[in-house]
Amino acid sequence: MARLLFISGLIFFGWLAYRFLKNTWAQRLREVEQAEQNAQQAHQANPSRVQQIKACTYCKTHIPEDEGIYRDGKFFCSYQHLDRYLEHQDN
Ligand SMILES: [Zn+2]
């Protein structure tokens, strides 16, 4: 009889543990899904890669890096300012 009670108790606690773990896993799974959804939404809100903003060496105007020109490690907003900068340097 005591043995039967012991086994019943074991099964009962096993079932409790199973239920607890199942709930925990389900909750974790929901959290992961939520995080993935948030990441996806953030990606959709800002699909383009992070663009670097650089200051023109001549006029100090800040423009996106891929719209300007690099010359000798210096950044310029236009060829006009590149030429003016070079002229200014020569004098
Ligand atoms: Zn400029």
Side-chain angles (χ1 to χ4, degrees):
M1 190 59 193
R3 205 184 155 97
L4 193 72
L5 269 173
F6 178 71
I7 291 167
S8 304
L10 246 155
I11 290 167
F12 177 67
F13 280 111
W15 176 72
L16 273 184
Y18 168 74
R19 259 184 56 145
F20 173 75
L21 285 176
K22 210 176 124 179
N23 283 344
T24 309
W25 281 334
Q27 201 174 358
R28 202 166 292 176
L29 206 73
R30 249 177 281 142
E31 281 171 6
V32 168
E33 277 176 3
Q34 191 76 42
E36 278 177 357
Q37 218 167 25
N38 286 347
Q40 216 166 23
Q41 279 170 355
H43 183 71
Q44 280 170 351
N46 187 15
S48 62
R49 63 188 171 76
V50 178
Q51 214 167 34
Q52 289 285 328
I53 303 294
K54 301 282 283 185
C56 172
T57 305
Y58 183 77
C59 68
K60 310 298 181 201
T61 301
H62 286 76
I63 61 161
E65 197 174 10
D66 56 7
E67 289 179 23
I69 309 119
Y70 270 109
R71 181 64 58 88
D72 299 331
K74 289 181 172 62
F75 184 74
F76 298 91
C77 66
S78 60
Y79 281 107
Q80 213 175 7
H81 283 179
L82 168 62
D83 290 337
R84 284 196 195 171
Y85 180 82
L86 293 175
E87 280 170 19
H88 193 260
Q89 251 191 343
D90 289 341
N91 294 334

